[in-house]
Each structure stands twice: as structure tokens, then as C-alpha cells.
Amino acid sequence: MIGVLGGNRGFGLGRLLIEEVLRVSASSNRSHAVCLTTESGINVPMYEHLGFAVVGEISIGALHSWTMQRLT
């Protein structure tokens, strides 16, 4: 689980964290994709910009969650 605290958002830290996860995944011959979930719709465009695609959505009460995947 990774995240960026509210006061630190907007400085590219989330992008750096995701890029490192993608680098680690790509360096392993046992990894073929990176999957993530987010409960914040504001994050979806950032993940899409980094090459992730929404592969599922679910709502449970007031909670909405997106599942996203990027092949490595």
C-alpha cells in the first residue's frame, strides 16, 4: 500500500512511487502486470496517465472502488 499525504500532493510524489513499483515489476521475469485499487476518483486520471486501465469498479454503500491494471 502506498499513498501521499494531503499536504504533499501535487508535487509528483505519487508518480515517483508508482514509477518505482513499475520499474521493480519490469525487472522481474515473474511479474507481468501491476494492479492497484483506489477509492478516490481524483486518482483515476493520474493512474490512466501512467498507463493503467480500469478493469473493474464496485460500489459498496457509499464506498466506490476502482481496480486498475498495467502490463509490464
Side-chain angles (χ1 to χ4, degrees):
M1 178 177 277
I2 62 171
V4 177
L5 293 173
N8 295 314
R9 291 185 181 138
F11 297 104
L13 299 174
R15 178 184 50 79
L16 290 173
L17 289 167
I18 294 296
E19 286 176 347
E20 180 62 12
V21 170
L22 292 169
R23 185 194 67 74
V24 170
S25 176
S27 70
S28 171
N29 61 357
R30 295 173 39 169
S31 179
H32 303 288
V34 172
C35 297
L36 60 85
T37 59
T38 184
E39 286 71 44
S40 177
I42 199 165
N43 292 336
V44 173
M46 178 192 70
Y47 293 131
E48 288 176 328
H49 180 75
L50 294 171
F52 286 83
V54 174
V55 295
E57 292 184 53
I58 190 169
S59 291
I60 303 171
L63 177 69
H64 190 85
S65 182
W66 293 261
T67 300
M68 306 185 77
Q69 177 185 42
R70 176 179 159 168
L71 302 177
T72 55

